[in-house]
Amino acid sequence: MTKTAGELAAALGAKLEGDRNVEVRGVAAPERAGAHDLIYVEAAKHADRATASAAACVIAGETVTISGKTVLRHAEPKVAFAKAAALLVERGPIAAGIHATAIVAPLARIGNDVSIGPYAVIDMQ
């Protein structure tokens, strides 16, 4: 899903520094980010990673200096990044049924429309 830096700032309660119209389409680590990915930096010691990143938009702590990027300032950058990820990354569908690697006790009672994921164990005590 695409959001602008301005929309993200409003949704996160962050202070915007830079271009409010920068489009953000996903999240990534600074080294793997593309121009439309959002990254975050919590401490000043990692500011160089953000500056070197291809990402145009960064969530950063209030005291971290980053040049050449649109910055969303937040007191809790890690929390803000997680909330932004929830807004930007669409959730995949949850598989239906019982995964082939799941172990289900023969006498276990399983409800209708239940999903049991990989390596789950349903036992009877």
Side-chain angles (χ1 to χ4, degrees), residues 81-105:
F81 184 74
K83 290 179 180 178
L87 295 171
L88 294 166
V89 180
E90 294 182 28
R91 296 180 186 194
I94 296 174
I98 301 172
H99 192 273
T101 61
I103 299 170
V104 180

Side-chain angles (χ1 to χ4, degrees), residues 6-122:
E7 290 170 332
L8 285 175
L12 303 172
K15 179 183 172 192
L16 176 71
E17 296 175 4
D19 184 359
R20 69 181 304 99
N21 295 315
V22 167
E23 287 189 351
V24 182
R25 298 182 190 141
V27 295
E31 295 79 14
R32 294 188 214 135
H36 295 286
D37 286 325
L38 178 68
I39 61 173
Y40 89 96
V41 176
E42 194 162 18
K45 67 182 180 181
H46 300 296
D48 290 343
R49 292 174 63 210
T51 301
S53 176
C57 191
V58 181
I59 293 178
E62 295 169 342
T63 61
V64 179
T65 302
I66 299 171
S67 58
K69 309 282 183 190
T70 294
V71 180
L72 305 177
R73 297 271 175 211
H74 198 279
E76 297 180 274
K78 189 182 291 187
V79 172
F81 184 74
K83 290 179 180 178
L87 295 171
L88 294 166
V89 180
E90 294 182 28
R91 296 180 186 194
I94 296 174
I98 301 172
H99 192 273
T101 61
I103 299 170
V104 180
L107 298 177
R109 293 175 51 198
I110 307 297
N112 296 331
D113 300 321
V114 171
S115 295
I116 301 175
Y119 303 103
V121 176
I122 310 292

